[in-house]
Structure formats: structure tokens, C-alpha cells
């Protein structure tokens, strides 16, 4: 079992251009290149579908992935419905982040970077999709919802039968030390005292679309051999973790420090047989960071009230969540990322 090597574009870096749609796709493709995944092509029809969903959230002051027929701007109940209407595919995905209490995003890349820090959402962005489209709506009205939607479809089959990806990837430097654990499903689903606190940057291992993975051991240690306590989660305990596993440190990592990750288990690609894996890789943290979804960062950004961030291509039913103005410390909620893979 091996990791994909980085692709040539991994060295090009990422620079904001003040265009949230363009910057989101560029940022995601830069991150994909780091782990060896090929770039997503921009699909204008899917981008329109994504923009329409963000407009629906604005029109109806809601957050989430599902739409209700008869409401203003309705274009399809689920992400799969909306994407299939413009791009036929048996694999679809969506991540959404929505805010209330601001008239525009704090920066053009803040929404996508907040989503990428969260491991279930990060897995969607790094997965083996072929095309993507990004749409957004900045409200101009603090009582309305500003949101960014990124949709995915198709499959590249870039991952071989004995290949996986890791994030942070092997040899990565300047890795964030800290993540604010506000995602759902939470990596701390069975250890809830860590929810909505600063923890270590989550380590993700992914086998790609349609794969199944069970981890028997997943550890993080310093180069000196000191174990880092972490919460491990995979599909044996969380169904929405299919094809992935996450180890989230219980406390922020130490700045400018090298870490060694070890993971053992079994992985099965679609239609294949179970393969054992025993992987080890290293990364090095940078300076102490403030997570993109941390209340302190959000408060510093024009009293940002972030209502929800979601990553999904979920099932056939769902209830939209009305957005409500909040007071006090801003919050961010990240419900239930999934993939839709039709056999």
C-alpha cells in the first residue's frame, strides 16, 4: 500500500484574487496536488447549480443542502438532484458554508479554508471527483444568509487499487497546530467534551470513492517517540466515515515540531478484496494558528455569525434549517458530510 506522489502543480502555491468562486477551486486544486490528486475541472453548468443553491439559501434564509419545492429559487431537493439535472453522474458531492450577520465574506478564501480544516469536509474536497463548480451569494444584508456552495461530480479513478492519500501528506511542512472542533458528524462523537474546543489539527487517511476501510491502529507521535493522545474514528464506528479514517489530537499540536503518523488496518476498493495496510508518514507543524472557524477569529471578522458549514451528497430526504440571527459569540455548525455513489 502506498501514497500517491504529489503532482507537478503542487509547487505553484495559492494566492487570493478576491473572487470567492475562483479562489475556492484554486485552493482545493492546490491542496489536491499536494496529496497527489489531479485537479478538478471547472464545469460551468455545475457552477450555476451551486450558485442557484446559494441563492435559494439567501432567498429563504436557510442553511443546509436540501431545498423545499414551492419555495423561492427551488431547483431540486438534494445535491444529487440538482447536479444530475445538469451533469449526469453516478458520483456527486457537495460542501456548503453559510453565514448570517455579515454582508460579505471576511475574505475570498475564508469559507473554503474553514471547510478544509474540518476532516469530513476535507475528505470530500480531496476525493476522486472529476469536475466541480462553485457558486456563492454574499447577502449585503446582515439579516440574510451569505453562503458558498461547491459541487462535485464524475470520477477520475486516480487512486490505484493499492493507493491512498493522507492529509497532512508525507513530508508536509507548516501544518496547522490547531482546529476548532465544530463539525458534524464530529470526530468526537463519542467523546463530546472536546466538541467546540481547540484541539489538534486532524490527520486524515482516505482510500477514495467507493472504498471501505477499517483501522486497527492509528497513532501520532513526536519524532522523539512521545505519543500524542488522539481520537480515532472510521466506518466501524461512524457510517459516514466510509473509505476514510481520522485521528484528531485531543490538544493543539506543538508549533514547529515533527510528527510521525502510523496507521494499520484493511482497505477494500469497490469490487476488490480486502488488502492489509501498514503505513507511516511524517509532517511538521508551523507557527501556532487561529482556526478559520474559531469564535475568536469569527468575532474579529466583523462580528461574523457563521450558522452552518456542511459537506454532503446525502440521502433522499432532509429538512432545511431556518437561519436565525444569533447574539453573543458567533458559532459555526458543520452537519453530516457524505458522498453519493450509485452502483
Amino acid at each position: 500500500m502506498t501514497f500517491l506522489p504529489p503532482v507537478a502543480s503542487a509547487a505553484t502555491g495559492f494566492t487570493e484574487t478576491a473572487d470567492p468562486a475562483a479562489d475556492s477551486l484554486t485552493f482545493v486544486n492546490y491542496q489536491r496536488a499536494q496529496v497527489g490528486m489531479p485537479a478538478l475541472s471547472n464545469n460551468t453548468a455545475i457552477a450555476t447549480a451551486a450558485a442557484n443553491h446559494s441563492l435559494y439559501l439567501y432567498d429563504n434564509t436557510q442553511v443546509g443542502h436540501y431545498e423545499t419545492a414551492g419555495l423561492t429559487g427551488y431547483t431540486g431537493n438534494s445535491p444529487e438532484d440538482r447536479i444530475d439535472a445538469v451533469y449526469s453522474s453516478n458520483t456527486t458531492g457537495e460542501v456548503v458554508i453559510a453565514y448570517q450577520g455579515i454582508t460579505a465574506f471576511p475574505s475570498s478564501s475564508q469559507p473554503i479554508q474553514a471547510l478544509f480544516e474540518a476532516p469530513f469536509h476535507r475528505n470530500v474536497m480531496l476525493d476522486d471527483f472529476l469536475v466541480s463548480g462553485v457558486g456563492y451569494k454574499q447577502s449585503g444584508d446582515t439579516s440574510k444568509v451569505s453562503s458558498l456552495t461547491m459541487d462535485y461530480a464524475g470520477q477520475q479513478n486516480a487512486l490505484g487499487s493499492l493507493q491512498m492519500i493522507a492529509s497532512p501528506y508525507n513530508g508536509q511542512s507548516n501544518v496547522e497546530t490547531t482546529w476548532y472542533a465544530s463539525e458534524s458528524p464530529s470526530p468526537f462523537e463519542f467523546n463530546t467534551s472536546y466538541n467546540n474546543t481547540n484541539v489538534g489539527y486532524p490527520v486524515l487517511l482516505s482510500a477514495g470513492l467507493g472504498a471501505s476501510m477499517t483501522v486497527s491502529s492509528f497513532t501520532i507521535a513526536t519524532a522523539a517517540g512521545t505519543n500524542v493522545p488522539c481520537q480515532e474514528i472510521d466506518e466501524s464506528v461512524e457510517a459516514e466515515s466510509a473509505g476514510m479514517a481520522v485521528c484528531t489530537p485531543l490538544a493543539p499540536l506543538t508549533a514547529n515540531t515533527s510528527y510521525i503518523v502510523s496507521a494499520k488496518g484493511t482497505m477494500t476498493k469497490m469490487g476488490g478484496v480486502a488488502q492489509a495496510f501498514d503505513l507511516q508518514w511524517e509532517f511538521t507543524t508551523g507557527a501556532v494558528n487561529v482556526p478559520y472557524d474559531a469564535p475568536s477569529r469569527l468575532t474579529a471578522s466583523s462580528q461574523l455569525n457563521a450558522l452552518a458549514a456542511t459537506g454532503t451528497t446525502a440521502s433522499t430526504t432532509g429538512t432545511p434549517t431556518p437561519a436565525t440571527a444569533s447574539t453573543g459569540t458567533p458559532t459555526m455548525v458543520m452537519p453530516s458530510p457524505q458522498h453519493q455513489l450509485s452502483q
Side-chain angles (χ1 to χ4, degrees), residues 55-68:
L55 183 59
Y56 170 91
L57 299 179
Y58 167 84
D59 286 336
N60 298 287
T61 318
Q62 292 182 352
V63 295
H65 295 281
Y66 295 95
E67 299 183 7
T68 300

Side-chain angles (χ1 to χ4, degrees), residues 64-243:
H65 295 281
Y66 295 95
E67 299 183 7
T68 300
L71 292 184
T72 302
Y74 174 83
T75 56
N77 173 253
S78 70
E80 184 183 14
D81 294 335
R82 298 188 296 272
I83 295 168
D84 281 348
V86 298
Y87 187 98
S88 179
S89 174
N90 68 341
T91 55
T92 58
E94 180 173 271
V95 293
V96 173
I97 185 166
Y99 308 97
Q100 190 177 36
I102 59 171
T103 58
F105 304 134
S107 75
S108 58
S109 70
Q110 192 275 345
I112 203 69
Q113 296 206 57
L115 285 166
F116 192 80
E117 287 178 335
F120 287 94
H121 295 70
R122 193 190 321 164
N123 185 57
V124 175
M125 299 182 208
L126 295 177
D127 222 333
D128 203 6
F129 291 109
L130 177 66
V131 296
S132 182
V134 183
Y136 65 95
K137 172 64 178 177
Q138 300 192 87
S139 69
D141 180 347
T142 57
S143 69
K144 302 289 284 184
V145 169
S146 296
S147 70
L148 182 140
T149 302
M150 188 167 189
D151 287 336
Y152 306 82
Q155 190 169 0
Q156 302 205 44
N157 297 311
L159 282 167
S161 60
L162 297 178
Q163 289 181 314
M164 290 194 281
I165 60 172
S167 174
Y169 58 87
N170 187 34
Q172 184 171 347
S173 59
N174 202 33
V175 173
E176 295 180 14
T177 61
T178 310
W179 174 55
Y180 186 75
S182 61
E183 186 176 28
S184 174
S186 170
F188 296 105
E189 182 176 353
F190 305 103
N191 206 350
T192 57
S193 63
Y194 291 95
N195 287 331
N196 300 311
T197 67
N198 283 335
V199 297
Y201 189 76
V203 177
L204 168 69
L205 183 64
S206 178
L209 286 166
S212 176
M213 183 197 307
T214 302
V215 173
S216 58
S217 174
F218 200 162
T219 62
I220 305 171
T222 66
T226 302
N227 184 62
V228 176
C230 74
Q231 179 69 58
E232 188 272 323
I233 193 166
D234 62 21
E235 65 189 75
S236 67
V237 293
E238 170 53 69
E240 293 181 36
S241 301

Side-chain angles (χ1 to χ4, degrees), residues 1 161-162 211-214 265-277:
M1 200 71 65
S161 60
L162 297 178
S212 176
M213 183 197 307
T214 302
T266 58
M267 181 270 288
T268 306
K269 298 282 187 173
M270 185 181 298
V273 298
Q275 301 281 350
F277 63 85

Side-chain angles (χ1 to χ4, degrees), residues 20-42:
D23 287 351
S24 294
L25 184 58
T26 301
F27 175 80
V28 169
N29 277 337
Y30 172 65
Q31 296 296 340
R32 290 171 65 86
Q34 302 295 316
V35 302
M37 292 299 290
L40 298 162
S41 298
N42 180 58

